[in-house]
Amino acid sequence: MITKSMRIGDIIRTYPQSLKIFEKYGLDCYECQVADYEELEHGAGVHKTDLEKLLKELNELIQS
């Protein structure tokens, strides 16, 4: 399960298929050096992304 406190870089490495969700929300995290240190909640806030919707889609993706 992906949580808001997980680092974006860890999510992408563990679940590479999550890139398409990040891209959908305009989070080009795979190109960002901060991704290894930034928690999902912070990244979503910086990009003005609905954290709950993002988490829901990420978790649905990895559970399918």
Side-chain angles (χ1 to χ4, degrees), residues 43-61:
V46 168
H47 292 279
K48 297 180 180 20
T49 300
D50 184 322
L51 177 61
E52 295 306 315
K53 286 175 73 174
L54 177 60
L55 274 170
K56 181 177 186 269
E57 287 192 44
L58 287 169
N59 281 306
E60 285 174 352
L61 179 72

Side-chain angles (χ1 to χ4, degrees), residues 7-29:
R7 290 188 185 110
I8 294 170
D10 292 339
I11 296 168
I12 293 170
R13 277 188 293 281
T14 305
Y15 308 104
Q17 69 271 37
S18 67
L19 277 175
K20 65 182 179 182
I21 302 296
F22 284 109
E23 289 173 342
K24 174 182 174 183
Y25 283 91
L27 284 86
D28 297 328
C29 300

Side-chain angles (χ1 to χ4, degrees), residues 26-43:
L27 284 86
D28 297 328
C29 300
Y30 54 92
E31 296 177 345
C32 180
Q33 296 172 347
V34 179
D36 286 332
Y37 309 101
E38 186 172 45
E39 293 181 353
L40 184 61
E41 180 175 33
H42 183 263

